[in-house]
Amino acid sequence: MGRIYNFSAGPAVLPEEVLKSAAEEMLDYRGTGMSVMEMSHRSKAYGQIIAEAEADLRDLLGIPDNYKVLFLQGGASQQFAMIPMNLMKNKSADYIITGQWAKKAAQEAEKYGKVNRIASSEDKTYSYIPDCSDLPISEDADYVYICENNTIYGTKYKELPNTKGKTLVADVSSCFLSEPMDVAKYGIVYGGVQKNIGPAGTVIVIIREDLITEDVLPGTPTMLTYKIHADAESLYNTPPAYGIYICGKVFKWLKGMGGLEVMKERNEKKAKLLYDFLDQSRLFKGTVVPKDRSLMNVPFVTGDADLDAKFVRESKAAGFENLKGHRTVGGMRASIYNAMPYEGVEALVAFMKKFEEENL
Ligand SMILES: *Cc1c(COP(=O)(O)O)cnc(C)c1O
């Protein structure tokens, strides 16, 4: 059986070239006689893999010199605790609640200090991004936290919040490297890589150097201290070595594609195809306010739960995998990350048209 179109929200589709190249190097990585999986993380060969991955990521995003890049474990969810443990000097932080992931991050931070929920879109099932131009930012807030692309609800900040001088912390798991970003606007940018970059098990944290201190909350585990990992160049203990290797290949693939400006254009073109279809469809409709639509995650419904279920069933049989919406929202969701080809979205739209004709 060949490869299918995989619209999973994560772990998600990866570039075929990357998978092929990893397969070629599986038994013997460049004359070392072993797989990267079997290699010491202190070896010369591995040292080169992680250093090159970091250099390529810095290149892609234009990361300023006063930012560290950390390759860590524990997924994005572990950062929900690590961020307050390391940043809550005043034991206070502002959170903007735009979906499940921001909500979970706020709940976790509450274990360590005061959490001020300064805006939320929960009133309309997180179908929009609140106006963040003049929020009641707390005087004593150590940081302002956002989830920049909401994987489940399909919204994305098109403009960053006005933090009134406070440090901005952003979870970019599901929009990482989908378009250029100005890292200098953030204190921390982080993401689990299994959405748009690599295999599950690695989380990338880009953190401004002045936020890396020994002054962390009492009881913070060594492994959850940014300074420990920053000082050791992500090699304090065994890192998620194979995952970092695959991320490195994806960074090279992105550079080969022409970089993040080109990816942005491709992603806009892909998303437009699907959104334009949804906007004129008499059966399907997108669930997000148009101005806040994500380029990566596209939720849609027919308005009839049975018909939704039929669509998911028939699409699966036709070779479109993982189109079922998140269990908390129902309906459908197409995740169209960097590695989803334009042809995949074209084929999906053609299938939706046919389904519409048959079921109206
Ligand atoms: C998937 C996801 C998470 C959780 O990631 P884990 O690596 O499973 O902890 C957090 N935030 C966002 C935006 C996500 O999409």
Side-chain angles (χ1 to χ4, degrees), residues 21-201:
S21 155
E24 275 163 24
E25 293 174 345
M26 183 60 75
L27 297 182
D28 176 9
Y29 176 76
R30 303 188 187 176
T32 57
M34 61 178 88
S35 164
V36 173
M37 269 185 252
E38 305 168 299
M39 198 174 270
S40 165
H41 57 293
R42 312 266 175 218
S43 66
K44 196 169 160 220
Y46 194 75
Q48 201 174 346
I49 288 171
I50 191 167
E52 246 178 69
E54 177 174 341
D56 286 334
L57 180 63
R58 284 187 174 277
D59 215 21
L60 279 166
L61 280 171
I63 301 175
D65 288 343
N66 62 326
Y67 284 74
K68 287 272 188 195
V69 172
L70 308 177
F71 295 99
L72 306 178
Q73 309 198 34
S77 300
Q78 184 152 284
Q79 293 305 308
F80 299 171
M82 198 162 170
I83 289 160
M85 284 176 147
N86 284 263
L87 262 53
M88 268 193 178
K89 317 290 180 195
N90 295 324
K91 297 209 169 195
S92 168
D94 289 353
Y95 279 69
I96 301 173
I97 313 298
T98 52
Q100 297 291 344
W101 296 119
K103 198 172 168 177
K104 282 192 176 167
Q107 277 166 355
E108 187 70 6
E110 225 152 30
K111 293 186 171 178
Y112 305 102
K114 191 157 135 286
V115 165
N116 317 296
R117 291 171 176 79
I118 56 169
S120 167
S121 52
E122 191 167 12
D123 60 334
K124 290 184 181 153
T125 331
Y126 304 116
S127 57
Y128 69 102
I129 298 288
D131 176 2
C132 297
S133 58
D134 185 19
L135 293 172
I137 305 288
S138 309
E139 199 113 326
D140 62 348
D142 291 303
Y143 58 90
V144 176
Y145 183 100
I146 61 167
C147 178
E148 194 161 328
N149 185 80
N150 295 279
T151 325
I152 297 172
Y153 300 95
T155 58
K156 160 104 204 281
Y157 285 79
K158 301 295 160 82
E159 237 173 280
L160 293 175
N162 174 4
T163 64
K164 304 181 181 173
K166 301 291 185 191
T167 297
L168 179 64
V169 173
D171 175 356
V172 298
S173 295
S174 49
C175 59
F176 224 166
L177 306 183
S178 62
E179 56 185 297
M181 71 189 299
D182 184 358
V183 173
K185 290 189 170 147
Y186 304 78
I188 294 181
V189 178
Y190 79 92
V193 305
Q194 74 273 24
K195 307 292 160 71
N196 204 20
I197 303 180

Side-chain angles (χ1 to χ4, degrees), residues 323-344:
L323 281 168
K324 193 170 174 349
H326 190 267
R327 60 197 146 77
T328 61
V329 266
M332 283 73 73
R333 171 181 50 177
S335 293
I336 49 175
Y337 295 118
N338 281 340
M340 172 59 65
Y342 185 79
E343 297 73 45

